[in-house]
């Protein structure tokens, strides 16, 4: 037996991945640019805001060397608007994720003079850690992929940077419950070969429900095969209850 | 005491809580108490009062108007009685629980009724079916009170919160919950949490938990002066005199205290010897030196000549202002926020309007169509202008004469003719805010912020920095009452106005030195005041009321003093060796002065710009002036436009170029957001400001976050609404690129000027070259956009090619490649020809 972990990512692994996200910090002291594996950071110069990876921002925040600007979607009014959309407008579906920026070319070192030309080479779709979905320039009306982890981390480490941390907590909890309920409801319609649309579901939500949904789907796949076995005249119909 | 024996209580009711109310004309006084009788006393007659018998007993509240009065009782009924027939006029409203307080609006039309029910009802006294409800309180209300204009009502709730509603709309609207002002009291407690509005309507007073009386202003809900340490037990009743000059309070310690509003000092105290029982209700007679009060033992006292003769003149004064800490009406501060033009301010009343003759017809009957003041008999309810609005001086305006052009004056206009005032720009200290409550910012910039707190006898000043590592925050007690400050990374500069003890002083405090601290003070000559101060990395500048500009070194050595050419001075700013001063120049149309600025290089003793105009649009005025981080003068005006001065190092070449119009920003285009931008700085090619929401005009505490915006030169409107979506897309793309070209070109010229006039570092030269290439790249994108548009745009594309700065030919080569790509062969040939001519240097000859 290899690793005793379930397939997919565990919640703690999701939280770890989330720390790659860029957030905006307002430094309280100077810091030269750092050459990190993920690329160089901007030199910090108070009071100019700068984007930093979340793990570095949290480190500086704990040392009281910086303040974190909460992304626009984590403000109480934006969260309330999203929650209203989830409960009233979007019925079954989830609120959509932020729009992707137009794809860029893969080759990073394009000839300076031809950069104006529309890309003809293979294009690259950016994915979460490289999208600025949690800086202050993020759209206020969409929850990004890492919304749950990021908000938990920020609320734990920097509650004083929020306008109203208590109402943010409450709204996040409401949002989480509404969306989990939708996920669970989606499972009811699951059948062999059927699917649920999971557009806009966050990473942590997937990680949390992966085991359960996976189990259900496996079980459903098992039922038809049991039926066929019964047709063949075999027994063991009761073992379904045993496995699930 | 002489008054003691003469003052005799009149047993009005059976022993128990008793309440009273004067009619507004002061003729009659009505008392109610535990028994079922109401007594009406005539002022000035010792005759036996008229008694009205009623079926209800245990009355708990009364309010009287000139023709009727309204009484509430413990069984929950509110009845209206006529004063003409002295009989019951009808039931006004019925509540399921005991009534606690009744207030009549100043016009007597509405009666607010507080009962033990959660809802406060406001009933029309003429038509009891018209009722407004105040529903926001979670607990029963204890007191209600109308403000003197009748458009606000304050509800003191038993949860210890004061709810202030606006009654100007159809449905009452909660505008403020005031926490922590009054105590949470039971609704039948003897102690009072009543809010009493000062007669000038700008503030109200309420008893606090510490047995003080706290004044709070209505405009910003800040705590103002307090009437403190007058009572040793809870306050049970309080009342302003009709002109607001005196405040009378009574407490459970059986003391009556008279306060002078202006100084908040006690002018007279009546102690337990003269007061027999706890006073529950008191009211001043509208005109005479007479305070009447009722106690919890069924007695009424008419206390004549209560104000001692030496202070009696206080009662005869006209309406006095409320005791605000920094009264905007009295204080002439250059950067005071403008008063909101609203009728509720009633500034006209404060400007000393005459009172009517005693016993005149208006006084007895109230205002009618023939009255001098007050409501006209035509009510202009649809704003169609049947009646002319009187202005602050009670005069009709000349608006009906059309176009605002006044008729020629009968006498020639002399210089100081008061009828045609000259609009001069007030001086201000860049980056400061006016007093609000007891606090203000003296300076707000990207280094940090300086703020001061008024502690009545002295101020305390705190300086905080954004960079917590390089600088250390400091805090000191300030007996000089500094009112201006300027902060940079080297030190902090303060100045204080002259007072009795000291002349106007300038104080510089460096942040760090390698010896002991060398802070210094300079006293200006007598009768000279600093109007604005500025601090650069090498000089200290002050403009003064005598029209001088004084320049000191950072160690206090006076270097220059000269008369400012355009004065009175408005503001000044400094950056390295450059000093920018702004003053009032000659008059322009509309009898406003135009603003003039001068820029001097102190070190080289050169004048860069001399008395050049600051172009402001007609009614705009200056909000802030500062140097950007690369040293270009910037101004921000009330129209929300940020302007930068271009080519200012060459005399006569300077011009103000808009960098950003904050009212046209994309975030405001939806029209849903209403926000103001308070400018802080221009740095790193961004505009740093504080976003103010909710109608605020100045930043306040806690310090709001800085926001930054990219420049956007107002070349075209941001989002033109075209039906054809694709067309609009291309259109905006071209517009965006054009704006980008203009903006980058502007920043390039600013940078070129800087690099050429200073000893530029290598990094700066490289940056300049990069910026040049950047402009050309924008042009290339613009060519591509034009080529995409169609063949007919070829001429425009060729013109754009001609704008390119690049002399190496690489950019032209790229442009010809673009033309090839879009198969515009004619254009390509022309570009190639242009490139060849440039290569051999023919182009320049042709241009000349």
């Amino acid at each position: 037996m290899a690793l005793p972990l379930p397939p997919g990512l565990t919640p703690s692994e999701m939280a770890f991945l989330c720390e790659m996200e860029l957030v905006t910090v307002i430094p309280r002291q100077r810091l030269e640019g750092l050459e990190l594996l993920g690329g160089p950071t901007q030199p910090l110069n108070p009071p100019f805001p700068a984007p930093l990876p979340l793990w570095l921002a949290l480190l500086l925040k704990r040392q009281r060397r910086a303040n974190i600007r909460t992304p626009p979607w984590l403000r109480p009014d934006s969260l309330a608007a999203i929650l209203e959309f989830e409960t009233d407008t979007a019925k079954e579906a989830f609120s959509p994720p932020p729009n992707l920026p137009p794809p860029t070319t893969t080759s990073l070192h394009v000839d300076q003079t031809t950069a104006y030309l529309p890309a003809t080479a293979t294009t690259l779709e950016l994915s979460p850690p490289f999208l600025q979905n949690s800086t202050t320039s993020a759209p206020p009306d969409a929850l990004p992929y890492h919304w749950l982890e990021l908000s938990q981390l920020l609320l734990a480490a920097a509650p004083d940077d929020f306008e109203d941390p208590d109402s943010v907590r409450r709204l996040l909890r409401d949002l989480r419950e509404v969306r989990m309920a939708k996920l669970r409801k989606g499972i009811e319609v699951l059948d062999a070969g059927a699917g649920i649309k999971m557009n806009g579901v966050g990473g942590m939500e997937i990680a949390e429900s992966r085991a359960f949904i996976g189990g259900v789907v496996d079980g459903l796949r098992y039922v038809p095969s049991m039926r066929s076995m019964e047709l063949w005249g075999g027994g063991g119909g009761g073992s379904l209850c045993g496995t699930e | 005491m002489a008054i003691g024996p003469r003052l005799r209580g009149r047993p009005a009711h059976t022993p128990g809580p008793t309440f009273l109310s004067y009619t507004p004309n002061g003729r009659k006084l009505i008392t109610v108490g535990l028994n079922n009788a109401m007594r009406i006393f005539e002022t000035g007659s010792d005759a036996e009062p008229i008694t009205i018998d009623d079926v209800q007993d245990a009355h708990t509240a009364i309010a009287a108007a000139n023709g009727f009065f309204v009484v509430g009782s413990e069984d929950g009924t509110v009845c209206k009685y006529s004063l003409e027939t002295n009989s019951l006029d009808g039931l006004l409203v019925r509540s399921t629980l005991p009534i606690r307080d009744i207030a009549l609006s100043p016009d007597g039309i509405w009666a607010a009724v507080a009962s033990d029910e959660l809802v406060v009802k406001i009933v029309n006294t003429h038509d009891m079916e018209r009722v407004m409800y105040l529903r926001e309180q979670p607990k029963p209300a204890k007191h209600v009170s109308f403000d003197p204009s009748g458009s606000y009502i304050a509800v003191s709730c038993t949860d210890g919160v004061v709810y202030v509603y606006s009654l100007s709309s159809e449905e009452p609207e909660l505008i403020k919950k005031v926490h922590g002002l009054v105590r949470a009291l039971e609704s039948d407690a003897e102690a009072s949490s009543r809010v009493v509005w000062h007669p000038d309507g700008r503030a109200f007073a309420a008893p606090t938990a510490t047995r003080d009386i706290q004044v709070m202003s209505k405009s910003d809900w800040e705590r103002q002066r307090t009437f403190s340490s007058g009572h040793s037990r809870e306050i049970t009743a309080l009342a302003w005199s009709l002109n607001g000059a005196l405040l009378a309070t009574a407490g459970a310690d059986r003391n009556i205290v008279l306060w002078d509003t202006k100084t908040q000092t006690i002018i007279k105290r009546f102690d337990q010897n003269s007061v027999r029982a706890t006073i529950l209700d008191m009211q001043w007679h509208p005109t005479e030196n007479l305070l009447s009060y009722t106690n919890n033992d069924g007695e009424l006292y008419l206390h004549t000549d209560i104000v001692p003769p030496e202070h009696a003149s206080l009662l005869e004064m006209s309406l006095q202002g409320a005791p605000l800490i920094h009264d905007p009406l009295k204080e002439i501060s250059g950067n005071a926020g403008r008063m909101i033009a609203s009728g509720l301010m009633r500034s006209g009343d404060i400007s000393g309007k005459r009172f009517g003759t005693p016993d005149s017809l208006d006084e007895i009957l109230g205002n009618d169509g023939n009255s001098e003041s007050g409501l006209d008999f035509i009510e202009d309810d649809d704003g169609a202008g049947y009646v002319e609005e009187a202005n602050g001086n009670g005069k009709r305006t000349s608006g009906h004469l059309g176009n605002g052009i006044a008729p020629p004056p009968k006498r020639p206009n002399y210089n100081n003719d008061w009828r045609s005032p000259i609009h001069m720009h007030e001086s201000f200290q860049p980056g400061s805010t006016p007093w609000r409550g007891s606090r203000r910012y003296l300076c707000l910039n990207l280094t940090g912020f300086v703020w001061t707190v008024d502690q009545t006898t002295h101020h305390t000043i705190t300086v905080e920095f954004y960079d917590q590592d390089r600088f250390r925050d400091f805090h000191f007690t300030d007996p000089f009452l500094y009112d201006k400050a300027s902060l940079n990374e080297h030190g902090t500069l303060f100045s204080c106005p002259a007072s009795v003890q000291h002349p106007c002083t300038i104080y510089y405090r460096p942040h760090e030195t390698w010896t002991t601290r060398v802070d210094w003070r300079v006293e200006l000559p007598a009768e000279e005041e600093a109007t604005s101060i500025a601090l650069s990395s090498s000089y200290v500048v002050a403009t003064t009321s005598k029209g001088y500009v004084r320049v000191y070194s950072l160690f206090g050595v006076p270097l220059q003093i000269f008369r400012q050419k355009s004065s009175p001075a408005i503001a000044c700013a400094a950056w390295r060796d450059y000093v920018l001063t702004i003053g009032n120049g000659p008059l322009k149309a509309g009898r406003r002065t135009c603003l003039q600025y001068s820029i001097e290089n102190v070190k080289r003793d050169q004048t860069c710009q001399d008395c050049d105009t600051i172009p402001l649009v007609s009614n705009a005025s200056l909000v802030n002036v500062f140097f950007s981080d690369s040293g270009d003068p910037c101004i921000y005006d009330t129209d929300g436009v940020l302007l930068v001065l271009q080519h200012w190092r060459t005399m006569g070449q300077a011009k103000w170029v808009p960098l950003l119009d904050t009212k046209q920003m994309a975030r405001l285009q939806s029209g849903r957001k209403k926000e103001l931008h308070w400018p802080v700085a221009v740095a790193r090619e961004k505009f740093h400001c504080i976003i103010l929401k909710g109608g605020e005009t100045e930043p306040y505490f806690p310090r709001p976050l800085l926001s930054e915006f990219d420049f956007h030169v107002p070349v075209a409107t941001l989002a033109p609404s075209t039906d054809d979506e694709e067309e609009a897309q291309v259109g905006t793309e071209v517009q965006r690129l054009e704006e980008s070209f203009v903006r980058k070109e502007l920043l390039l010229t600013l940078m070129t000027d800087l690099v050429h006039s200073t000893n530029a570092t290598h990094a700066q030269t490289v940056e300049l070259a990069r910026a040049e290439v950047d402009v050309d790249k924008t042009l290339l994108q613009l060519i591509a956009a034009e080529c995409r548009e169609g063949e007919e745009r070829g001429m425009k594309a060729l013109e754009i090619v001609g704008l390119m700065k690049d002399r190496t030919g690489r950019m032209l080569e790229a442009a010809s490649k673009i033309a090839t790509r879009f198969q515009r062969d004619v254009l390509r040939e022309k570009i190639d020809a242009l490139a060849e001519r440039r290569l051999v240097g023919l182009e320049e000859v042709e241009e000349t």
Side-chain angles (χ1 to χ4, degrees), chain A residues 28-30 45 112 116, chain B residues 468-470 684 777 818:
Chain A
R28 286 153 67 103
Q29 69 179 59
R30 288 170 182 232
N45 201 0
Q112 296 268 313
Y116 58 88
Chain B
Q468 298 277 322
D469 186 37
R470 253 176 91 197
R684 299 190 168 189
K777 263 199 247 170
I818 297 169

Side-chain angles (χ1 to χ4, degrees), chain B residues 619-645:
Chain B
N619 280 328
S621 56
L622 211 55
V623 176
N624 204 346
V625 53
F626 46 83
F627 279 92
S628 73
D629 63 339
S630 53
D632 295 301
C634 299
I635 55 171
Y636 187 86
D637 62 16
T638 43
D639 284 345
V641 183
L642 174 75
L643 298 146
V644 70
L645 192 58

Side-chain angles (χ1 to χ4, degrees), chain B residues 627-686:
Chain B
F627 279 92
S628 73
D629 63 339
S630 53
D632 295 301
C634 299
I635 55 171
Y636 187 86
D637 62 16
T638 43
D639 284 345
V641 183
L642 174 75
L643 298 146
V644 70
L645 192 58
Q646 199 185 3
H647 302 309
W648 54 275
R649 288 179 179 86
T650 326
M651 175 78 101
Q653 290 289 310
K655 57 179 174 240
W656 292 96
V657 190
L659 270 179
L660 178 68
D661 187 344
T662 52
K663 289 199 178 148
Q664 284 187 14
M665 282 198 295
R667 51 186 278 130
L668 297 179
Q669 287 306 303
S670 60
R672 274 180 288 124
K673 282 187 187 169
K674 282 263 182 284
E675 57 184 36
L676 262 176
H677 301 89
W678 197 85
V680 174
V682 167
R684 299 190 168 189
E685 306 197 346
K686 280 192 173 156

